[in-house]
Amino acid sequence: MPTNHSLPRTRGELRKSSAFSEARLQSRSVKDELRENLIARLKSRETIFPGIIGYEDTVVPQIVNAVLSKQNFILLGLRGQAKSRILRALTALLDEQTPYIAGCEIRDNPYHPLCRRCRDLVAEKGDATTIMWMGRDERYVEKLATPDVTVADLIGDLDPIKAARGGQDLASELTMHYGLLPRANRGIFAINELPDLAGKIQVALFNIMQEGDVQIKGYPVRLALDLALVFSANPEDYTARGKIVTPLKDRIGSEVRTHYPETLEEGIAITAQETWSQRNLGRLEIPQHMREIIEQIAFSAREDKKVDKRSGVSQRLPISTMDLVISNAERRALLHGELLVMPRVGDLYAALPGITGKLELEYEGEMRGADTVVREILRIAVGKIFDTYFGETNTQQIEQWFNLGGTIKFDDDQPAKTIAAELKQIQGLTEKLIPLKIKSSSDPEHLVAAAEFLLEGMYAHHRLSRTEERGFAAQDKARGPSRSEREPEHEVDEWAQRRTRRGFN
């Protein structure tokens, strides 16, 4: 590919360039271009979609097959499954620079102009016609489907003002105002949430998908556009019961199903990639158990019966949670002049606003309240990760200390040194932190973060009680677990029994 300063500037110079010969540009469509560049990447074993994690053996091969087949395709998946990111990443399969006739609204091919204005210009100037260049990103047009989108928005309409100013008849092609589809000519056009388009708008897409052209306002104006069409949608909407027009569905080449991370490790990698951690304020160190707990929150929420499965739990939930957890740790470090920013399990409760907004609840969850549901999910997540580190750890000595009247509070208003000094009074606590590679000589920040994880895990398994102010004390055996500490499945059964007794079944 020639450098920018050596690119041809006229149609005549373009004709002399071997890289942009007339035969090549006229016969090579956008889908051919995508296919050729994809083949080159496959041969060189380059990563097809950098930054997309967890789809290497599932989604990516299906997209590759669709591109190799020169098909339009749709990504079906719940929110937060990187659908839009994948569609935007398709631009990497386009050429770095592509020529078009200068001033053209639909980026006409210099050798094969479609619009009347460019045809007249080439007929007048010939090889002296000025050429401009567009990069990859300029060749990607995206539209979020909404019910108020019109045919004029997508295809185009007559422009009376343009006709009046130019003294043209309304039937003239020179009076056309082109919509998004013509303006995406020789590029990729993406529609997010396709079923949200009104039925008549979906019908308007038939021609461009099957015959490859559009008609504007009923006049005999046909534009044989060169486009690669891609879409995204929620699977619930993309059915006969949903809002998709069946003939349009029939014209889409491939349906590619996306999914959430299948393993905790994949989710951790995605969250680490997307989290804003380079804040240049102190030294940030995120314990591995914190990364696992935050990711487990999303996994537990996806399994929770009180969370709407049709809406899904976006991968944005752990990303947003991690950002808020880091911010709370950052705030604490600033208050006490600490150079090490060390997130703790207690910081998860400061991130509740970022979690509740990411969940759509079922009826039972709404009756319980979002905060209550999220706190249960947090407890379950902490308990599961606790078992991976301390599943074989005997905590009776620590429980005994609390049973004898000991209490401890993890307060953000206290520096880590103060809390660490209090923790060392708990007999046997430091020895139990070996799975986290913590010793009695460890920094106060490390010791406090590890100890709070251990105690929070014991609370999750009902071995200790904890106040809303993050104070830990002995579990009241006679009283048993409080309503907020019970296992979710027990509460579901109790709620169902109450409903049956009241005759609501």
Side-chain angles (χ1 to χ4, degrees):
M1 178 70 64
T3 58
N4 284 338
H5 66 272
S6 63
L7 290 171
R9 294 301 174 187
T10 65
R11 190 166 179 264
E13 293 178 11
L14 188 71
R15 196 185 299 278
K16 297 175 183 177
S17 172
S18 59
F20 304 103
S21 65
E22 184 171 356
R24 177 177 172 80
L25 278 185
Q26 278 205 2
S27 62
R28 187 169 177 252
S29 67
V30 172
K31 292 180 180 177
D32 289 325
E33 183 181 334
L34 292 170
R35 174 183 161 85
E36 282 183 23
N37 292 328
L38 175 59
I39 290 173
R41 283 202 171 202
L42 291 173
K43 286 181 177 179
S44 63
R45 299 192 177 276
E46 292 182 53
T47 303
I48 306 300
F49 297 112
I52 303 297
I53 300 171
Y55 287 169
E56 294 83 2
D57 300 321
T58 53
V59 176
V60 172
Q62 296 181 40
I63 295 176
V64 167
N65 290 341
V67 174
L68 291 177
S69 302
K70 300 200 296 185
Q71 291 181 344
N72 302 314
F73 65 88
I74 185 168
L75 298 180
L76 297 179
L78 299 175
R79 57 181 179 170
Q81 293 185 353
K83 300 187 296 295
S84 296
R85 174 170 289 196
I86 291 174
L87 297 183
R88 292 164 188 164
L90 288 171
T91 57
L93 300 179
L94 295 171
D95 292 342
E96 287 186 33
Q97 297 287 337
T98 301
Y100 69 99
I101 297 176
C104 182
E105 296 180 69
I106 62 174
R107 292 99 61 91
D108 258 334
N109 188 323
Y111 298 123
H112 184 58
L114 299 179
C115 73
R116 177 64 179 272
R117 177 254 181 197
C118 290
R119 294 201 306 268
D120 293 346
L121 185 65
V122 170
E124 177 187 349
K125 294 190 174 182
D127 284 351
T129 303
T130 304
I131 300 300
M132 296 290 288
W133 296 84
M134 53 184 170
R136 291 168 172 163
D137 292 341
E138 298 174 83
R139 300 175 65 191
Y140 178 82
V141 178
E142 184 176 283
K143 176 63 179 174
L144 175 63
T146 54
D148 62 338
V149 174
T150 65
V151 175
D153 293 334
L154 284 184
I155 308 299
D157 203 346
L158 300 177
D159 188 343
I161 297 177
K162 185 184 289 187
R165 286 179 177 175
Q168 304 289 338
D169 188 270
L170 280 177
S172 170
E173 293 181 47
L174 296 174
T175 66
M176 301 298 173
H177 172 75
Y178 297 109
L180 287 174
L181 268 168
R183 291 175 185 274
N185 184 36
R186 303 177 69 215
I188 300 171
F189 186 72
I191 299 180
N192 284 319
E193 307 303 335
L194 177 64
D196 286 341
L197 282 179
K200 65 178 182 179
I201 311 302
Q202 295 182 35
V203 171
L205 294 174
F206 288 0
N207 257 34
I208 185 62
M209 297 191 67
Q210 194 68 41
E211 287 78 24
D213 66 8
V214 295
Q215 299 180 21
I216 297 178
K217 206 64 176 182
Y219 286 97
V221 178
R222 302 178 69 90
L223 298 174
L225 301 177
D226 181 13
L227 283 170
L229 293 172
V230 290
F231 311 96
S232 72
N234 187 306
E236 286 290 319
D237 299 330
Y238 197 73
T239 62
R241 300 180 305 278
K243 298 173 287 184
I244 191 71
V245 176
T246 303
L248 176 61
K249 184 177 180 181
D250 182 58
R251 284 168 166 79
I252 297 176
S254 295
E255 296 178 10
V256 180
R257 298 266 177 169
T258 58
H259 54 81
Y260 289 122
E262 296 179 338
T263 66
L264 210 62
E265 291 73 21
E266 288 180 355
I268 290 171
I270 295 171
T271 301
Q273 174 182 274
E274 300 300 321
T275 298
W276 177 41
S277 57
Q278 303 300 321
R279 304 193 180 193
N280 301 320
L281 185 62
R283 179 167 63 90
L284 173 64
E285 186 174 331
I286 305 174
Q288 180 62 21
H289 67 263
M290 281 299 300
R291 296 185 185 275
E292 294 173 5
I293 291 171
I294 289 174
E295 209 56 49
Q296 184 61 50
I297 292 171
F299 276 74
S300 298
R302 290 168 190 147
E303 298 170 359
D304 197 294
K305 295 179 180 179
K306 295 180 285 298
V307 177
D308 187 357
K309 300 295 185 298
R310 295 166 298 179
S311 177
V313 178
S314 169
Q315 189 61 26
R316 298 183 187 94
L317 185 148
I319 296 169
S320 175
T321 302
M322 180 64 82
D323 282 335
L324 291 172
V325 163
I326 293 174
S327 293
N328 198 62
E330 192 176 46
R331 179 179 65 86
R332 183 172 54 244
L334 288 170
L335 287 175
H336 304 298
E338 296 171 349
L339 298 179
L340 177 60
V341 178
M342 175 69 69
R344 307 174 192 164
V345 175
D347 295 327
L348 291 171
Y349 296 93
L352 283 176
I355 301 175
T356 55
K358 300 290 189 297
L359 299 180
E360 295 288 340
L361 301 179
E362 296 284 7
Y363 174 74
E364 181 195 345
E366 292 177 352
M367 294 295 292
R368 296 281 310 281
D371 279 355
T372 303
V373 172
V374 170
R375 287 177 184 274
E376 288 177 359
I377 292 172
L378 291 183
R379 184 176 60 78
I380 293 170
V382 171
K384 285 188 176 181
I385 303 304
F386 173 87
D387 290 341
T388 64
Y389 286 91
F390 301 106
E392 304 298 325
T393 301
N394 187 338
T395 61
Q396 288 185 354
Q397 189 177 8
I398 300 174
E399 293 176 52
Q400 185 178 6
W401 185 86
F402 283 101
N403 289 335
L404 293 173
T407 61
I408 192 166
K409 184 177 180 181
F410 291 81
D411 196 335
D412 284 346
D413 293 334
Q414 291 182 313
K417 290 181 180 179
T418 303
I419 301 176
E422 295 180 12
L423 287 169
K424 289 181 179 179
Q425 299 175 10
I426 304 177
Q427 297 176 358
L429 174 66
T430 307
E431 290 78 5
K432 304 302 182 185
L433 300 178
I434 292 177
L436 298 177
K437 300 180 180 179
I438 298 298
K439 304 176 182 178
S440 57
S441 59
S442 297
D443 294 338
E445 292 86 355
H446 288 89
L447 176 61
V448 173
E452 187 171 10
F453 173 39
L454 174 62
L455 298 180
E456 191 76 30
M458 293 174 64
Y459 159 71
H461 288 294
H462 310 303
R463 301 177 195 174
L464 297 176
S465 64
R466 181 177 61 74
T467 66
E468 293 296 328
E469 293 76 25
R470 292 159 62 184
F472 291 89
Q475 177 73 42
D476 187 346
K477 302 295 183 181
R479 177 177 61 86
S482 66
R483 178 177 178 82
S484 63
E485 295 170 347
R486 294 174 187 166
E487 293 292 340
E489 56 268 23
H490 295 166
E491 293 200 9
V492 172
D493 294 342
E494 181 182 314
W495 180 82
Q497 291 170 6
R498 290 202 314 271
R499 186 180 65 171
T500 302
R501 289 198 299 267
R502 293 175 184 177
F504 292 147
N505 58 333

